[in-house]
Amino acid sequence: MERLTQPEEEAMRAFWQLKGGFIKEVLELLPEPRPPYTTLASTVRNLERKGYLQGEKLGNTFRFTPLIAAEEYRKRFMSTFVGDYFRNSYKELVSFFAKDQKISAEELKEIVRMIEKGQEE
């Protein structure tokens, strides 16, 4: 799966929120300053080429549907991120945030409880 650029990821978030839609609908969901319609249309075509969206012609316009779920993208992105920056070690990832004081001891305890609870099920 090809990595997304920032504009592509923003567009995909909107498509996931809408569960598919038209470029005009996505444009309305994007944060200010919004790109021009033609720029977003180009981004959408790139997403279609990369296999993230599928376009369906309806009259004189296209409706686009996500081909990958947000959760699946998140899992793949995190896996790649951890591999690229933390040598495939989630322990190093958590340690990084703990050392940088971006995560508290209480949050770490909560994560441990979640892990333990998941192992019980």
Side-chain angles (χ1 to χ4, degrees):
M1 177 188 311
E2 221 176 311
R3 195 176 218 156
L4 297 180
T5 64
Q6 181 72 25
E8 290 171 342
E9 197 167 304
E10 286 176 359
M12 281 306 298
R13 281 194 206 111
F15 278 113
W16 285 320
Q17 184 180 339
L18 293 166
K19 296 178 176 57
F22 299 93
I23 292 174
K24 187 176 180 180
E25 294 172 313
V26 169
L27 192 58
E28 292 171 11
L29 290 178
L30 294 179
E32 294 286 348
R34 292 185 178 110
Y37 181 93
T38 53
T39 301
L40 179 57
S42 177
T43 299
V44 168
R45 291 293 177 203
N46 286 337
L47 288 166
E48 191 175 24
R49 181 186 51 77
K50 290 180 177 183
Y52 284 89
L53 292 174
Q54 179 178 346
E56 176 187 3
K57 189 162 177 64
L58 297 174
N60 62 350
T61 189
F62 281 85
R63 185 178 191 283
F64 296 91
T65 306
L67 293 175
I68 180 169
E71 185 62 27
E72 183 181 345
Y73 176 74
R74 191 178 1 249
K75 284 179 184 177
R76 288 187 186 184
F77 173 80
M78 283 307 296
S79 181
T80 301
F81 176 77
V82 172
D84 289 350
Y85 296 99
F86 297 98
R87 298 181 305 216
N88 284 324
S89 171
Y90 284 87
K91 178 181 172 186
E92 282 194 31
L93 170 75
V94 173
S95 175
F96 170 81
F97 288 113
K99 287 177 187 170
D100 204 28
Q101 297 179 344
K102 301 287 186 205
I103 191 168
S104 69
E106 191 53 45
E107 289 170 320
L108 285 171
K109 288 176 189 175
E110 185 178 338
I111 290 169
V112 169
R113 284 191 296 270
M114 289 169 60
I115 292 169
E116 289 171 345
K117 183 179 179 186
Q119 290 175 348
E120 292 172 7
E121 294 174 0

